[in-house]
Structures are given as C-alpha cells and as structure tokens.
C-alpha cells in the first residue's frame, strides 16, 4: 500500500494544472485584409539554409511564402549555404522573390568554416564508426556527415552568422514547404507585442534511437545548474510507475532522466520556427549549447536541432513565451498542419 501510494503521488507530481485563462490564443482569427505593418515593422528576416541542388524546392518555398505573406510585408531574405552559391540558384531564387515584391532585399551568404564541420574534440574515427552503426540500424540521416554538421549549425551557430547579427527575429523556411492559408498579419510584430520568444506549427514524437542519451544529459545539466522546473518541462515527461528506489535503477535506459522518468519524445518540428534570436544569443542558451556540443552527441548519436531547441525552450522559457501558430496551414514533406482557426 505504501508503494502504491508513493507511485500515485509521484505520478501526480507530473500533472500540469490547466491555467484559468488561455496563455496562448491565436493572434488573429477569421478572414481579414492584410494588416500592413510597414511603418512599425520588426527587426526580422526570413532565413533559408539550402544547397545548390535544392534550387527547385527553394523556389517553391519562396513562391509560397511570398504569395501567402511576404509579398505584402516585404521582409528581407537571407539564404545560407556551406558552399558557394551557383549563379543559377541566385538568379532563379532572386527572381522568385522579386516577382512578388520588387523592393525586397535578398542576400546569399556562405557559412564560415568555424561554424560548419567537426570541432577539435571529436574523434573522427569514432564518429564515423558510430554513424555507420546508426545507419545500419536504419536511423534516418545518421550516416550523412553533412546532416550532423547541419544540426550542429542550426543548434548553435546560425544566430551568430554575420548576415544575421543585425536582426532580432527570424523565420526559418525550408526548401519544398508551402503554406495553405494567407497570413494577413505580421507574426514578428505580434510575437514582440505579446512577449513571445519561440513559435512553432507542428509538434511531433522524436524517434527515440536518434537521441538515446540527450534527455538524461540535459536533465543532469538542469540539476547541476539548479534550473527551476517549468510546466512546459513537466509536459514533456511521462512518470515511471516503478516504486522508489527501483525507478532510479533504470536511469540508463533510453530517453530517461537520472530518476528513471521518461521523456515522452514530444518536440517542436524546427523546420518552421519564428523566434527571437536573442533567446539563442543569451548566456543561458549559449552555456547549454556549449555543454551539448562538448558532449559529442551531435556526432556520436544523431541529435537534431529540433529536440535541442525544444528541450532548451522547455528548460529556459516560460510556457507563455512559446506560441503555437494554430492559424498557419503548413505542409512539409508528407506532413501537414491544418489550421483550426475559425
């Protein structure tokens, strides 16, 4: 009976109390003409990381974003590549942008070498062996070195790229995405006005094999730094139903914290983000990324930027600082978010 009571109380501690008011209503609902905030535009940019081979997908994404939003608002675009851009990519993507708005700035930049590649502390032979092993297990993208470099860049360096330092806000756009609804207000202005720091459209379950030790290591980091527990962090966890102290004996299992409790694998799908880069530039996030980077899991496992951003937001932000764009119809690959706004 005592064990059952302890298990019950432990599970209850993971209950997130519903707030009395909605912390995150849509910024606008219903049909309306575009609200042109041209006189009070935010310090923001649209950002795409792409390769020359992504040209057709980049053009498709630009056409969708320009049609549904930016043709009315005229925010600048920054395109980033770890290689030199081809003339064809620059010409076709530039034409796609200016076809909707002649005065929109477009910048094509390369990524500095110190932001892309292996850091000095990574054992290259070990990394290659582990990548091959993960690939043999069918872990998506695990064998591609460029994917690991991309995840490291998107986790810890994009916000310091020289082309982005002048901006506070960014909207991450991937090649081959589309928006199914007109976006008739300025999300940057609304995020700033309402104290939001991070915005997403889709939340998914992460594949557990990609990040077997990430949650445990971040939970250890949280404990050592005495970071207060937010309801957002609790919402990303499932309690263990083993009695104490037995549950502490299973800490080594995949995706569990040092107390044996489980990350439920929920994370924000980061191929769409609208966020305040000052969050990522903060000393708190920089310290967290330094810990992640020096651990090596970006190469020895297949940690993606999506779970890193998501768990960092759960650790360092308050729930009311995170926004779900429930009014954005969004399509990427074989996944689609259908707006629930009236």
């Amino acid at each position: 009976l005592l064990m059952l009571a302890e298990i019950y109380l432990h599970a209850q501690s993971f209950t997130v109390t519903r707030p009395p008011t909605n912390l995150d209503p849509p910024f606008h609902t219903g049909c309306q003409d575009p609200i042109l905030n041209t006189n009070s535009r935010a310090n923001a940019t649209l950002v795409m990381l792409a390769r020359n081979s992504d040209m057709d997908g980049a053009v498709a994404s630009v056409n969708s974003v320009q049609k549904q939003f930016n043709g009315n608002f005229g925010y600048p675009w920054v395109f980033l590549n770890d290689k030199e851009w081809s003339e064809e990519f620059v010409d076709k993507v530039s034409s796609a942008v200016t076809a909707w708005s002649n005065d929109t700035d477009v910048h094509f930049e390369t990524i500095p070498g110190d932001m892309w590649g292996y850091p000095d502390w990574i054992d290259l032979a070990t990394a290659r062996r582990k990548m091959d092993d993960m690939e043999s297990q069918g872990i998506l993208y695990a064998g591609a070195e460029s994917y690991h470099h991309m995840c490291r860049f998107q986790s810890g360096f994009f916000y310091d790229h020289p082309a982005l330092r002048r901006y506070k806000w960014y909207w991450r756009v991937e090649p081959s995405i589309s928006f199914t609804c007109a976006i008739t207000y300025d999300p940057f202005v609304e995020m700033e006005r309402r104290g939001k720091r991070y915005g997403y459209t889709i939340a998914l379950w992460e594949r557990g094999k990609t990040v077997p030790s990430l949650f445990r290591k971040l939970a250890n980091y949280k404990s050592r730094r005495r970071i207060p527990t937010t309801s957002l962090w609790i919402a990303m966890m499932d309690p263990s139903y083993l009695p104490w102290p037995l549950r502490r004996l299973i800490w080594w299992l995949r995706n569990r914290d040092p107390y044996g409790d489980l990350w439920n694998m929920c994370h924000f799908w980061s191929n769409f983000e609208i966020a305040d880069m000052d969050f990522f530039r903060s000393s708190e996030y920089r310290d967290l990324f330094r810990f992640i980077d020096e651990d090596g899991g970006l190469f020895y496992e297949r940690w993606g930027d999506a779970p890193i951003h998501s768990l960092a937001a759960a650790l360092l932000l308050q729930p009311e600082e995170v926004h779900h764009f429930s009014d954005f119809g969004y399509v990427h690959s074989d996944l689609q978010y259908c707006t629930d706004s009236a």
Side-chain angles (χ1 to χ4, degrees), residues 1-9 243:
L1 288 176
L2 286 174
M3 283 195 301
L4 289 174
E6 193 276 333
I7 291 171
Y8 174 78
L9 292 173

Side-chain angles (χ1 to χ4, degrees), residues 45 76-80 85 94 105-109 163 166-167:
T45 185
W77 283 87
V78 175
F79 294 89
L80 301 175
W85 291 107
S94 297
D105 291 335
V106 188
H107 306 277
F108 296 89
E109 306 286 345
R166 75 189 79 171
Y167 300 110

Side-chain angles (χ1 to χ4, degrees), residues 101-175:
S101 178
N102 287 326
D103 58 351
T104 300
D105 291 335
V106 188
H107 306 277
F108 296 89
E109 306 286 345
T110 55
I111 298 170
D114 59 349
M115 292 184 172
W116 192 276
Y118 291 102
D120 295 340
W121 54 86
I122 296 297
D123 183 285
L124 301 186
T126 300
R128 185 66 263 169
R129 176 173 53 80
K130 288 182 176 290
M131 289 179 197
D132 291 341
D133 182 56
M134 289 186 287
E135 186 174 39
S136 70
Q137 298 176 47
I139 298 176
L140 193 63
Y141 307 131
E145 287 186 354
S146 61
Y147 187 84
H148 294 263
H149 298 322
M150 180 274 290
C151 290
R152 182 172 182 255
F153 173 76
Q154 295 284 40
S155 298
F157 296 102
F158 77 93
Y159 44 85
D160 282 331
H161 190 283
L164 298 183
R165 287 176 189 159
R166 75 189 79 171
Y167 300 110
K168 175 177 172 65
W169 297 90
Y170 79 105
W171 177 333
R172 177 170 163 179
V173 181
E174 294 281 315

Side-chain angles (χ1 to χ4, degrees), residues 1 12 16 22 50 52 60 72 75 78 105 162 182 261 299 307 323-324 342:
L1 288 176
Q12 286 297 107
V16 177
N22 189 351
N52 290 309
N72 290 317
Y75 278 101
V78 175
D105 291 335
D261 296 308
F299 297 98
H323 181 63
H324 178 218

Side-chain angles (χ1 to χ4, degrees), residues 12 19 66 68 91 103 167 215 228 244 304 308 311:
Q12 286 297 107
Q66 291 294 106
Q68 303 289 26
D91 291 343
D103 58 351
Y167 300 110
F215 182 68
W244 186 91
I308 290 172
L311 291 171

Side-chain angles (χ1 to χ4, degrees), residues 5-17 229-231 233-241 247 257 259 261:
E6 193 276 333
I7 291 171
Y8 174 78
L9 292 173
H10 177 68
Q12 286 297 107
S13 69
F14 287 78
T15 301
V16 177
T17 303
T229 300
T230 67
S231 58
W233 180 263
I234 293 173
M236 288 188 169
M237 296 181 65
D238 288 332
S240 167
Y241 288 93
R247 63 174 170 267
D257 71 8
Y259 303 100
D261 296 308

